[in-house]
Amino acid sequence: PKEGVKRDKWLQSLMTNFSYVAEESGEIIGFGDMTKEGYIDRLFVHKNHQGRGVALKIFRKFEEDARACGLRESLPVKPASC
């Protein structure tokens, strides 16, 4: 039950946030999401596709969304807890 709650919350945030999936040949190689306040919640690129600009392309989409929402500054990055 506890795991299901986390999953439901995670899926809800993906549906509420600006969310993008990067694909190559029908395979998901990365994804990310940003809140409407400009906080980048998740940004992931598969290890075999890192260093090829995938995250940058997703980030550029976030920038477009932020501008469309009237956001002008980025929020400070909060490192993930270990």
Side-chain angles (χ1 to χ4, degrees):
K2 199 172 190 180
E3 192 65 32
V5 171
K6 288 180 185 177
R7 182 179 185 272
D8 291 344
K9 187 175 179 180
W10 195 75
L11 291 174
Q12 181 62 38
S13 73
L14 287 174
M15 291 172 48
T16 304
N17 294 347
F18 295 103
S19 301
Y20 293 97
V21 173
E23 293 183 272
E24 184 174 270
S25 303
E27 177 185 351
I28 294 174
I29 61 171
F31 73 91
D33 69 306
M34 179 183 75
T35 68
K36 292 182 179 22
E37 295 77 32
Y39 176 77
I40 297 174
D41 198 12
R42 291 169 277 256
L43 185 56
F44 169 82
V45 176
H46 187 280
K47 65 179 183 174
N48 294 343
H49 298 276
Q50 293 178 1
R52 296 178 37 209
V54 176
L56 181 60
K57 288 178 184 174
I58 295 171
F59 190 81
R60 295 277 192 245
K61 295 299 289 181
F62 293 153
E63 288 180 319
E64 290 175 23
D65 293 331
R67 278 192 293 278
C69 288
L71 299 174
R72 297 177 192 264
E73 297 179 11
S74 62
L75 296 175
V77 176
K78 179 181 175 186
S81 58
C82 297

